[in-house]
Amino acid sequence: QVQLIESGGGLVQPGGALRLSCAISGQGASYYMLGWFRQAPGKEREFVSGVSRNGGMKDYADGVKGRFTISRDIPKQTATLQMNFLKPEDAGIYYCAAQWTTNGLLARLDNVHEWGQGTHVTVSS
């Protein structure tokens, strides 16, 4: 069992930047892919980005590609999401997600085992 702790959310003006962090702890932390999802008011939770166990494989939703960068610190296993050129439509609650895998490849995060508590991102002028 692992635990996720998120940090870094806040209020930023359009065009600004935020850095979100997700710390994973517990047995077998290195066997989990990590990723970020977000949920805006009145909308479904959506995938934002994912990173493989060793940080070598990354994926992004089309709407954030080129603006967001995900990374993973080894051996700390912390996942970081650098968000640049933020837009109002980026606002919402961002959740870190962990999915156990049998290999080091980056698969679709469609069977998340653990979720973080969420961190709020507000983009407004």
Side-chain angles (χ1 to χ4, degrees), residues 1-7 21-26 28-29 32-37 45 72 76-79 94-100 109 112-119:
Q1 188 177 15
V2 295
Q3 299 81 42
L4 305 175
I5 300 178
E6 301 140 316
S7 62
S21 295
C22 174
I24 180 171
S25 62
Y32 289 81
M33 300 182 297
L34 294 178
W36 290 93
F37 290 72
R45 187 176 300 185
R72 189 163 185 174
K76 291 182 178 179
Q77 298 296 320
T78 300
Y94 282 68
Y95 298 90
C96 186
Q99 182 169 311
W100 190 88
L109 281 82
V112 174
H113 294 94
E114 298 289 340
W115 295 94
Q117 80 283 0
T119 184

Side-chain angles (χ1 to χ4, degrees), residues 77-97:
Q77 298 296 320
T78 300
T80 299
L81 185 68
Q82 178 66 46
M83 306 186 296
N84 297 326
F85 303 102
L86 283 161
K87 304 175 181 180
E89 53 262 42
D90 294 319
I93 304 175
Y94 282 68
Y95 298 90
C96 186

Side-chain angles (χ1 to χ4, degrees), residues 9-115:
L11 172 65
V12 65
Q13 293 184 340
L18 286 173
R19 185 191 297 266
L20 307 183
S21 295
C22 174
I24 180 171
S25 62
Q27 187 176 7
S30 63
Y31 288 87
Y32 289 81
M33 300 182 297
L34 294 178
W36 290 93
F37 290 72
R38 68 187 181 190
Q39 187 169 21
K43 294 187 176 182
E44 298 291 324
R45 187 176 300 185
E46 64 177 359
F47 169 79
V48 177
S49 184
V51 63
S52 62
R53 283 157 51 171
N54 68 355
M57 302 177 66
K58 305 173 183 180
D59 194 23
Y60 302 92
D62 289 342
V64 306
K65 199 170 299 181
R67 298 187 296 118
F68 291 10
T69 303
I70 193 169
S71 61
R72 189 163 185 174
D73 180 88
I74 306 298
K76 291 182 178 179
Q77 298 296 320
T78 300
T80 299
L81 185 68
Q82 178 66 46
M83 306 186 296
N84 297 326
F85 303 102
L86 283 161
K87 304 175 181 180
E89 53 262 42
D90 294 319
I93 304 175
Y94 282 68
Y95 298 90
C96 186
Q99 182 169 311
W100 190 88
T101 61
T102 58
N103 57 55
L105 303 178
L106 179 60
R108 182 178 299 176
L109 281 82
D110 57 3
N111 190 24
V112 174
H113 294 94
E114 298 289 340
W115 295 94

